[in-house]
Amino acid sequence: MNTLLDAVRTGRCDLVTTLVTPLTDSERRALLPELTTLRREMRTWDWSRRWDAEPTLRALHLAGAACHTGPAAAASWIAARDLRDGRPRDTTPLAALLAGRDPAWRADVAHRLAARTATVEDDYPLIRALLHDTGAPAPTTDGFVHAWARATTTSTDTTTITTGRRPRPRPLRVALREDPYTAQLVPHLFETAEPAPSLTWYDDPSTPGRWPAELAHLATEGTVERHTLLTAAVSRLLRGGRTAHLAFYTDFLDVLDPTTDERAEHTADWIALAADAPSPTAARAQQTLTALFEAGRLPADRLAEMSTAVLFRPEKKLVRAQLVLLGKALRRAPADRHTLLPATAAAFGHPDTALQEKALKLLATHLRPDDDALRADLAFDAEQLGPALRRTAAALLGAIADPAGGPNPDTYEETLPAVPARRPLTTGGRTIAETVELVAALAKTNAPTAEETETALDLLVRHAHQDRTALATALLPALADRYWAREDAGRADPGHLRATEILAAAVLGRLDPADLSPRHPINGHGLGQDCIHDRLHRVTAARAREAALHVLTDPLPFLLATPTWDCGTLEPHDLITRLTAYAHQGATPAPADFAQALLRVRRDPQAAAAADALATPEGRRLAAWLTTDGEPAPPTRHVTDQDRSPRNWWGGARPTTHRIVLDVPEHLVIQKDFPAVFHPLGRPRTGTRHCWHWRGQELAHLAVLPQDRETQAVWLLPHLTECAIDEDRGAGEVLSRLAELGGPAGPALHLAVATGLGARHTEDRLAAVDALLVLAARGELDTALLGRELAELLRLGTVKPNRLADAARTAAATGAYATTWAFLAGALPAVLAGTPARGAGELLAVAADCVEHCGPTGPLPEGLAPAATRKGTSQLATQARRLHTALTPVAAG
């Protein structure tokens, strides 16, 4: 027994094999306690020792696997992560040591190892060795199937090894032919949640030696039934997934090249794919169904079913192709019009009016004079048409709802969302237990909100002032898992703690007052030089440190800067009430806390008299802040081609992009009268800098200046600009919250919204639409200003017309047609001047839709009349004529 343990400790794997092989099962089980003790001991070794003890780890892994006689225990030991060092491991000794076990035992262990997703790829050689000569089927778990596909793809010719020559790759066709599990595992390649990565290692799927071509060859030679592979591929496409994951299965079907009969057998499946699959897969299904139609294998009822589904999709290319197919079918068999024309009417609900018009033309071409019943049915569907097409539909189909061309401008009513409700922050009357629960929850939250943080800070200060001992007694068990809360941890470093943790650590006595001094530097978290997020973080951290220092020395009764509302705003009468209570209790306001309160207070000049009546220095400062001192200077504006980096991230040159830049001027009151940590917020700052700060804290930082949306919009603009011209994302979420704050909604905020409407990623554009609608609902949106900003951004190329069209379409779809048209009217001249940019037709279509719904207002945008006189059927010319027609009554008047 000692001899084996010595061999393990010295890392002698060969000796371990020699010593274990002759042992009986009972003798092997007797060795397990000492091996388990050694394993437990190795867990306590530090990383440097574990790295040096790699031979010991390998020997322990080998010995423990051999000594476990139960398959479940053996598999658990073999797959244990603490017995692996992260390096490739030769499993040959372990496979040889287990080769003498009963075949059923080896197969059981192999299947258990194959079920472990995290380690199955590393253990694949061992699993195959355990299965050898057992007669057991191969495991079919996703991990094992992926590992099998990878091993088959990268296998080498073993004859070169035995002859001493350099190993060379074995052709995939040979590897599949020689593998005994090929027939069993190939169908499972189509059942895994995601395709095995090795399946997609090809440029041309029809190239021999690549998986699509070789799977088709297996079907040809009969190794796997062709029908099985075809059904498996179609079924996998029906399960759905990401477009990149489905590409392999569609490529395989192309290589397999099903016959007409095979395609017809899966007609219902192709229709389902055309209806719901991602766009590339749906296009392939549509092409397959078109081929069936050309072969006369797609009945009219099936074509109608397919058309109803495809015409509902948003992709214009698919809808256009489907309408072409319907036109062919109607010309081939006019008697089928009673089945196909109602399906064609599904296109009436498509947002693209050009496609609506194309569908209406099909009806006009194929309807006959005696089709009265069919006309009545189609008239009901025609109610979905845009207002401009309803006159044509009424002339063709008879009376339909509102055939006069849409809503009457005198009766049109704009639909805007409700103004976001503000929630009050309440901290008074909450118990110690509630405080502890909140603090413990925030300690485990990666990105606490400003509302949660401010509530926790004020509760900790209040209860520490009343009974710090009771609060500490309740906090200690709730924070037992925090390293800084342990009694044996010594003094904690406040630089590594968040705001609520700093205050909780002070309550528990884990902080040194010297580390909380205002003179002690505060570390920033941003990666950009002079990052604004570092400035805001330091303000929050300084206020938390100040409150913690008071907990240890002179506890405050409560915090002055705790917001009144969840957005971070502090009402002036609340601050006056708190200052009055401080004066009655003889408490001196903490400098950082009072400064933060000033930045949060809603500027109401009518409250200045009550503040001045306090007859205290803080009251007089508050009165001045509510009248003149608190007003920030407006930002300055210029256009620059300066980029944040001369080269992109992979080293290539970046194109020069002109962009609008806003600069924040100096705020002298903050620089002169506020604590030093606030001074950076009042310094001049250029708006060209784009920093890569830590994500998740931007929303919380909005509460530092909740009454100065303009300044925060200037800080946010570089991020929004990168979202519009580059691959950045995420700034839109901050913009939508920024719109809900207080203070003036001036040019900076409107420019930020305009830039967000042209963001590259959909989620940022949606957030900008939210911000736009919030401002409109609050009566703060200047549509003329927003239109001018959009026009300049379109001219500079910061905003692309197609992205703006998508955002405007979303805004209009909420019912805000008049609002959307009001700002688009000012932006359209920029896309109509000169050579129209890509997407100009889409933008005109949205504008025409808005005018048709809300009624014409205002003169013709500059450049619209020449665009409307262009010949041709391009979307730009078509939509320009449509918008011109909708606005002509106003222009004529």
Side-chain angles (χ1 to χ4, degrees), residues 557-649:
F558 48 80
L559 294 177
L560 294 173
T562 302
T564 304
W565 305 105
D566 61 325
C567 61
T569 297
L570 174 60
E571 291 294 335
H573 69 269
D574 284 340
L575 181 54
I576 293 172
T577 301
R578 293 171 189 175
L579 288 173
T580 302
Y582 261 52
H584 289 166
Q585 298 184 38
T588 302
D593 187 35
F594 180 66
Q596 176 65 93
L598 292 180
L599 293 180
R600 284 180 175 163
V601 72
R602 181 174 59 84
R603 285 188 287 274
D604 182 4
Q606 295 181 359
D612 191 60
L614 293 174
T616 62
E618 290 77 18
R620 287 187 288 271
R621 286 185 60 193
L622 175 58
W625 183 265
L626 293 174
T627 52
T628 57
D629 289 354
E631 292 289 342
T636 58
R637 175 185 180 123
H638 62 279
V639 177
T640 181
D641 59 0
Q642 179 182 353
D643 209 341
R644 63 182 171 86
S645 173
R647 305 181 70 82
N648 53 31
W649 65 270

Side-chain angles (χ1 to χ4, degrees), residues 60-76:
L60 177 61
H61 183 264
L62 179 64
C67 290
H68 278 94
T69 57
S76 179

Side-chain angles (χ1 to χ4, degrees), residues 20 22 137 199 208 241 249 314 350 376 408 485 513 684 766 787 800 812 832 852 865:
V20 171
L199 297 183
Y249 307 107
H350 198 278
N408 189 318
L766 289 175
K800 305 294 189 295
L832 294 172
E852 291 169 356

Side-chain angles (χ1 to χ4, degrees), residues 729-766:
R729 66 199 311 163
E733 182 183 8
V734 184
L735 177 62
S736 65
R737 289 292 299 275
L738 186 61
E740 299 178 13
L741 302 186
L749 183 57
H750 281 73
L751 176 60
V753 172
T755 307
L757 292 174
R760 182 183 187 91
H761 297 285
T762 303
E763 62 270 23
D764 287 318
R765 293 199 298 271
L766 289 175

Side-chain angles (χ1 to χ4, degrees), residues 124 128 131-138 144 148 152 170 174-187 223-224:
Y124 175 78
R128 288 299 300 262
L131 290 172
H132 183 65
D133 288 340
T134 63
F144 183 82
W148 173 78
T152 306
R170 182 168 53 165
V174 174
L176 290 171
R177 184 186 304 121
E178 295 178 352
D179 196 302
Y181 295 124
T182 294
Q184 178 193 350
L185 293 180
V186 162
T223 302
V224 184

Side-chain angles (χ1 to χ4, degrees), residues 517-528:
S517 170
R519 293 184 295 273
H520 199 280
I522 300 175
N523 297 328
H525 289 172
L527 299 181

Side-chain angles (χ1 to χ4, degrees), residues 420-510:
R422 296 185 301 179
R423 298 189 309 274
L425 264 67
T426 55
T427 55
R430 299 179 70 168
T431 65
I432 288 181
E434 293 175 303
T435 302
V436 170
E437 182 181 2
L438 177 59
V439 172
L442 293 183
K444 299 176 176 63
T445 302
N446 291 328
T449 65
E451 178 184 4
E452 294 169 335
T453 299
E454 290 297 334
T455 301
L457 291 177
D458 190 59
L459 287 173
L460 285 170
V461 168
R462 287 176 182 270
H463 288 294
H465 178 264
Q466 295 168 6
D467 191 342
R468 177 185 164 188
T469 302
L471 178 60
T473 302
L475 273 177
L476 189 59
L479 299 175
D481 59 337
R482 303 287 96 181
Y483 72 93
W484 48 265
R486 296 198 306 266
E487 295 184 5
D488 58 347
R491 299 294 186 183
D493 182 2
H496 296 158
L497 303 179
R498 291 188 299 214
T500 53
E501 294 177 328
I502 291 173
L503 214 52
V507 171
L508 296 176
R510 304 291 187 268

Side-chain angles (χ1 to χ4, degrees), residues 309-323:
V310 174
L311 295 179
F312 188 74
R313 296 184 66 107
E315 299 94 335
K316 289 183 280 189
K317 183 177 181 180
L318 294 180
V319 174
R320 193 177 297 112
Q322 193 64 29
L323 291 174

